[in-house]
Amino acid sequence: MAHPDAGPHHLAIVMDGNGRWASKRFLPRLAGHKQGVDTLKRIVRACAQRHIAVLTVFAFSSENWNRPQEEVSGLMDLLAGALAREVSQLKQDGVRLRFVGDRSGLSERVRVGLSRAELDTADNDVLTLNVCFNYGGRWEIAQAAAQLAARGEPITETSLSQAMALGAGPDPDLLIRTGGEFRLSNFLLWQSAYTELYFSPAFWPDFDEQALDQAIAEYHARERRFGKTSAQVTHASVSPV
Ligand code: IPE
Ligand code: IPE
Ligand code: MG
């Protein structure tokens, strides 16, 4: 395992492929989502072991309302059930849970569950788990701009960053999308400006510690230049001026 300073410090994941995982087994799509919750539990533990400070996952997009009603309500039940079952363990493991997204579109039952889970785990500091639920990158940017406009504040890169629903922490270093698709699907549009992207063919329920380590190893092999030349970056790491 690489030295924890090597990062990634903030990992983002588009957990995609649950439906296809289930269809391949002639199971209902919801069985894939259920299995996906188990995968998330494992990956959260693996991230904590690897000293990743922040994990941001995409669980339900603004566009996922367009799915069949049965799947949407199944996903809402799954979230409510997972909160009821898992929060005490997450609390023990030092995980701080945060939900990012438009809560006004969610039922009272789900909203109460989210707030309670956040309050229960607010003092934890091993790993912050941001669950993006009813989230869209465009929604996030628009709501940040609307907040600033309502307060009559200037719109700058810094003020917008601070008004993002995700919060003003460091941007993701690495973004993994499972399920074999090569797109962001409206995830973290603002924060992923300089994020390293990694696409895994594995369906999310099959994604495991080994696959995670493979993604992290590839991240370590990348050269993050942030607009500079390779020579500048290599030189800077030898003698920071
Ligand atoms: C991702 O898996 C989970 C959600 C979007 C809620 P999908 O349900 O999109 O799985 P596929 O892409 O259909 O296989
Ligand atoms: C993105 O996956 C959203 C989540 C993983 C929650 P989708 O399966 O909804 O994305 P598209 O529709 O294939 O772009
Ligand atoms: Mg999908």
Side-chain angles (χ1 to χ4, degrees), residues 165-202:
L166 184 63
D171 288 340
D173 300 296
L174 171 65
L175 186 154
I176 298 172
R177 181 172 185 142
T178 63
E181 310 292 355
F182 302 97
R183 53 180 175 258
L184 289 176
S185 302
N186 203 11
F187 190 43
L188 302 181
L189 297 182
W190 177 266
Q191 297 88 348
S192 61
Y194 264 102
T195 301
E196 294 297 327
L197 307 180
Y198 180 89
F199 299 96
S200 165

Side-chain angles (χ1 to χ4, degrees), residues 8 64 199 238:
N64 287 147
F199 299 96
V238 176

Side-chain angles (χ1 to χ4, degrees), residues 15-21 29 33 59-60 64 67 71 75 181 203:
M15 308 183 291
D16 194 23
N18 295 347
R20 282 164 287 163
W21 181 92
R29 291 178 58 85
H33 296 313
F60 189 87
N64 287 147
R67 294 191 176 194
E71 181 168 346
L75 284 164
E181 310 292 355
F203 296 141

Side-chain angles (χ1 to χ4, degrees), residues 126-185:
V126 173
L127 177 135
T128 296
L129 172 60
N130 296 312
V131 179
C132 295
F133 199 91
N134 196 17
Y135 171 90
R138 289 179 175 178
W139 163 81
E140 190 184 27
I141 295 169
Q143 66 81 39
Q147 269 182 47
L148 295 174
R151 298 200 297 256
E153 288 175 23
I155 293 182
T156 65
E157 289 193 18
T158 310
S159 67
L160 270 172
S161 289
Q162 282 163 355
M164 288 295 149
L166 184 63
D171 288 340
D173 300 296
L174 171 65
L175 186 154
I176 298 172
R177 181 172 185 142
T178 63
E181 310 292 355
F182 302 97
R183 53 180 175 258
L184 289 176
S185 302

Side-chain angles (χ1 to χ4, degrees), residues 5-238:
D5 284 353
H9 303 289
H10 183 176
L11 172 66
I13 307 183
V14 179
M15 308 183 291
D16 194 23
N18 295 347
R20 282 164 287 163
W21 181 92
S23 302
K24 220 175 77 178
R25 288 166 176 75
F26 306 101
L27 293 168
R29 291 178 58 85
L30 215 52
H33 296 313
K34 280 195 184 126
Q35 196 66 34
V37 175
D38 283 345
T39 300
L40 178 58
K41 277 157 58 180
R42 276 178 69 174
I43 294 299
V44 168
R45 219 170 298 132
C47 286
Q49 285 163 356
R50 285 156 183 74
H51 305 282
I52 291 169
V54 185
L55 173 64
T56 301
V57 297
F58 205 3
F60 189 87
S61 77
S62 325
E63 290 74 29
N64 287 147
W65 293 106
N66 296 322
R67 294 191 176 194
Q69 199 263 323
E70 190 186 292
E71 181 168 346
V72 171
S73 57
L75 284 164
M76 296 298 154
D77 290 345
L78 197 60
L79 172 66
L83 286 175
R85 269 180 287 109
E86 306 299 341
V87 171
S88 66
Q89 185 63 50
L90 290 169
K91 196 174 169 179
Q92 277 181 42
D93 294 343
V95 176
R96 181 164 72 122
L97 255 178
R98 290 182 62 238
F99 291 91
V100 185
D102 184 0
R103 296 190 192 199
S104 66
L106 304 174
S107 73
E108 173 77 12
R109 175 181 71 129
V110 170
R111 283 208 303 263
V112 169
L114 302 189
S115 304
R116 194 170 293 153
E118 286 181 331
L119 264 175
D120 274 0
T121 61
D123 295 330
N124 285 346
D125 59 4
V126 173
L127 177 135
T128 296
L129 172 60
N130 296 312
V131 179
C132 295
F133 199 91
N134 196 17
Y135 171 90
R138 289 179 175 178
W139 163 81
E140 190 184 27
I141 295 169
Q143 66 81 39
Q147 269 182 47
L148 295 174
R151 298 200 297 256
E153 288 175 23
I155 293 182
T156 65
E157 289 193 18
T158 310
S159 67
L160 270 172
S161 289
Q162 282 163 355
M164 288 295 149
L166 184 63
D171 288 340
D173 300 296
L174 171 65
L175 186 154
I176 298 172
R177 181 172 185 142
T178 63
E181 310 292 355
F182 302 97
R183 53 180 175 258
L184 289 176
S185 302
N186 203 11
F187 190 43
L188 302 181
L189 297 182
W190 177 266
Q191 297 88 348
S192 61
Y194 264 102
T195 301
E196 294 297 327
L197 307 180
Y198 180 89
F199 299 96
S200 165
F203 296 141
W204 174 245
D206 291 327
F207 193 79
D208 58 11
E209 290 85 347
Q210 203 190 335
L212 175 67
D213 285 335
Q214 217 173 318
I216 294 174
E218 173 153 337
Y219 169 78
H220 289 149
R222 304 256 181 104
E223 182 177 70
R224 303 186 75 188
R225 289 195 284 275
F226 298 99
K228 296 181 179 176
T229 66
S230 183
Q232 282 177 300
V233 173
T234 317
H235 207 250
S237 66
V238 176

